[in-house]
Amino acid sequence: MTNGKYVPLESYREYPVEEMRQRAGSFRAEMQRRRSVRDFSDRPVPREIVEECLRIAASAPSGANMQPWHFVAVGDPATKERIRAAAEKEEYEFYHGRAGAEWLGALSALGTDHQKPFLETAPYLIVVFSQSYGVAPDGRQVKHYYVRESVGIATGLLLAAVHHAGLAALPYTPSRPGFLNEILGRPENERPFVVLVVGYPAAGALVPDIQRKAFEEIVTFA
Ligand code: IYR
């Protein structure tokens, strides 16, 4: 705490404990309504909503504040079509050999297969890229730190923001996702981290009948 330049923390707000309890509880209830959706409507979503959510993602903390991410919000139907075609080709190989029996067994409750119609139906695909290093204006490489942790946090905020806005999302992790660099023209220092499929759920959308682990199983106070 000696060398950096500091400014007063003006944005922090303290709430009375009762209000804190109420806020924590209502946010919990709100977040517990979130489900991953695979059946999307083609109903358009205003671009400014997606922009707001991306600004929230961009507020995430990151290793040495390097912000090692880039987000591509794909709304163009022709680009979505190319992404779907390339993704389904890779997924076909995944589901017909590459995955192996154990992985396919773990996925069976989700009922997924190589077909990814949502990549065309949903109005937006937010492709989150992680940057393994940065590139300074003079072309020199800039080291990035804790890249996966940082991009994971940003993606979590993005997912929460999309849900909070009243939209549905699917964090889709394509098998062998290198085609996303090609289609979206992203540079060599960037790797696709996840595709957040965003839109309204289709009327009558179904979700897998699965449960969260018990709280006691996943939490220890020490
Ligand atoms: N990428 C494939 C397989 C898949 C893998 C995991 I781990 C999932 O939680 C869900 C699917 C697909 O999206 O179908």
Side-chain angles (χ1 to χ4, degrees), residues 11-12 22 42-43 47 78 86 91 107-108 111 122 178 205 212:
S11 54
Y12 174 76
Q22 199 272 325
D42 63 1
R43 194 171 149 199
R47 172 179 161 147
E91 299 294 8
L107 293 180
S108 65
R212 304 287 181 218

Side-chain angles (χ1 to χ4, degrees), residues 81-103:
E81 191 184 326
R82 285 180 69 195
I83 291 175
R84 177 186 177 180
E88 287 185 339
K89 192 163 162 280
E90 293 295 346
E91 299 294 8
Y92 187 88
E93 288 174 25
F94 173 85
Y95 282 97
H96 296 84
R98 218 171 44 234
E102 187 176 359
W103 198 344

Side-chain angles (χ1 to χ4, degrees), residues 91 94-95 103 107 110 112-113 116 172-173 175:
E91 299 294 8
F94 173 85
Y95 282 97
W103 198 344
L107 293 180
L110 303 182
T112 53
D113 61 24
K116 305 296 171 194
Y172 168 56
T173 46
S175 204

Side-chain angles (χ1 to χ4, degrees), residues 38 40 74 76-93 113-122 125 127 172 174-177 179-180 183-184 195 197:
R38 291 182 177 78
F40 282 86
V74 184
D76 172 50
T79 310
K80 288 193 291 174
E81 191 184 326
R82 285 180 69 195
I83 291 175
R84 177 186 177 180
E88 287 185 339
K89 192 163 162 280
E90 293 295 346
E91 299 294 8
Y92 187 88
E93 288 174 25
D113 61 24
H114 71 280
Q115 297 181 76
K116 305 296 171 194
F118 52 74
L119 294 175
E120 268 186 274
T121 318
L125 310 177
V127 186
Y172 168 56
S175 204
R176 291 211 295 222
F179 63 85
L180 289 166
I183 293 174
L184 301 174
V195 178
V197 184

